[in-house]
Amino acid sequence: MYAEERQQAIAVLVGQRGRVSVTELSEQFGVTTETVRRDLAVLDRGGLLRRVHGGAVPAATLTAVELGTTEREGSRAVEKDRIGKAALDFLPPSGGSILLDAGTTTRRMAAHLPTDRELVAVTNSVPIAARLSIYANVRLHLIGGRVRGITQAVVGADAIRMLGELRLDVAFIGTNGLTVAHGLSTPDADEAAIKRMMVASAHRVVVVADSTKVGREDLIRFAPIEQCDVLVTDDDLPRSARSALSDCGVEVVIA
């Protein structure tokens, strides 16, 4: 296979799968990883894909465009539900405190919270707060501030000020993008600011994100990868990505 043919095939594969690793491409096309990296560099310069740590994603993946809650709710719903349930293993003992970030995956986690464990729960999500308000075993704190309609998340200076006074056992954080090089990222500056404070406010940070978020780099980083203690994701995560994250000290849990 000529280089041009291989590069075209790689571009098609990335478009179909959403993310591929250098190792996988090397094995599939029977070439060295160095050759694959050169191919990706050519395709990246041509705007046909975007190189990320360990592989490539479609060109449209690196964007500041943000989907609304309605669009995100139906995306990979089965995987998000499994992730939400698996994240429950990281709840603190009875009497402990948790923070639930706004997001469709954290919302699924909230739906499965145990009813036999006393918890203090803090959230900036209007839908999560509405759900948890009926739990007799949960002492709920809704962070105050401006509500972003697109994500139904509370953001802004008041919210950040309140979070700055808190210290929580575990923060369950969602993210739009996650890479070793760029860390955790999101398209919106206000969302990034409050997520940054959430990460700083917790003794332990558990990121709940489906595998399509891994390899994405969105506009604004809110935490380096070193501040992520655990990633709970689905079994579509490439082996190479799991190894890279583990090498950075991140515990990867496959739901």
Side-chain angles (χ1 to χ4, degrees), residues 1 6-7 9-10 13-14 17 20-40 54-56 239-240:
M1 180 181 288
R6 185 178 59 250
Q7 290 163 9
I10 289 173
L13 198 61
V14 171
R17 294 187 183 176
V20 292
S21 70
V22 169
T23 302
E24 290 167 334
L25 291 172
S26 173
E27 293 172 354
Q28 178 151 349
F29 293 100
V31 295
T32 65
T33 54
E34 289 76 13
T35 297
V36 170
R37 290 190 179 94
R38 285 195 295 270
D39 288 339
L40 296 182
R239 294 190 303 274
S240 57

Side-chain angles (χ1 to χ4, degrees), residues 182-199:
H182 192 51
L184 310 176
S185 56
T186 190
D188 182 77
D190 287 333
E191 295 269 4
I194 195 163
K195 285 175 182 287
R196 191 174 295 118
M197 184 59 74
M198 287 177 171
V199 170

